[in-house]
Amino acid sequence: ISEPAIDALVDINPDSLNKNSKGQWVTVYITLPAGYDVNKIDASTIAITSLTGTSCQPDYYQSVDLSFIPQVGDRDEDGIPDLTVKFNLQELIANLCLDDVAITVEGKLFSGEHFKGIDHIRVVDPGK
């Protein structure tokens, strides 16, 4: 029986993705609830584990792009640190459906505890 996941706050940037984007990365900010420290996240375990939308394949897995060094900061300046990681945008776009998509991001702390969070993005294709 797996432990229940720590409920992380995941903020995917940008909030809407253009299917024709030539960008390299999509940025994900991860905030953990009080009592947990983002400095204790094992960045190599972070992955997108599900894409949910009307025409998406929910069984999806994409590891974090470790060519970008994960950074701890406080992007929203709320006094709670967040961890910034990046995913390969082109790999993600190839698997996104044109819709509002719920993207699940999961990972582990060095302690082995598991966290999970979901953010919604809008996918658009201006060429259609």
Side-chain angles (χ1 to χ4, degrees):
I1 298 171
S2 64
E3 296 284 310
I6 299 163
D7 192 16
L9 178 67
V10 171
D11 183 11
I12 297 173
N13 197 358
D15 290 326
S16 72
L17 274 180
N18 178 336
K19 277 286 239 190
N20 300 326
S21 171
K22 300 288 181 257
Q24 183 177 3
W25 283 319
V26 59
T27 304
V28 177
Y29 302 95
I30 300 167
T31 307
L32 295 176
Y36 295 98
D37 182 354
V38 291
N39 289 288
K40 297 196 166 113
I41 292 175
D42 180 353
S44 68
T45 66
I46 300 170
I48 294 172
T49 57
S50 176
L51 301 174
T52 312
T54 44
S55 58
C56 283
Q57 291 294 330
D59 295 333
Y60 179 74
Y61 189 88
Q62 180 179 336
S63 293
V64 70
D65 187 339
L66 290 174
S67 66
F68 172 85
I69 304 300
Q71 296 172 346
V72 173
D74 182 11
R75 185 181 68 106
D76 49 6
E77 300 179 342
D78 60 359
I80 302 167
D82 45 52
L83 181 69
T84 303
V85 295
K86 306 250 184 188
F87 287 90
N88 181 304
L89 177 60
Q90 297 306 320
E91 186 181 329
L92 182 62
I93 282 178
N95 291 281
L96 286 173
C97 45
L98 293 174
D99 200 355
D100 288 308
V101 181
I103 298 181
T104 304
V105 176
E106 298 186 64
K108 288 193 165 97
L109 307 186
F110 290 115
S111 63
E113 290 173 287
H114 170 226
F115 70 84
K116 179 177 188 175
I118 298 173
D119 193 17
H120 293 259
I121 65 162
R122 177 105 187 116
V123 183
V124 294
D125 184 350
K128 293 252 162 32

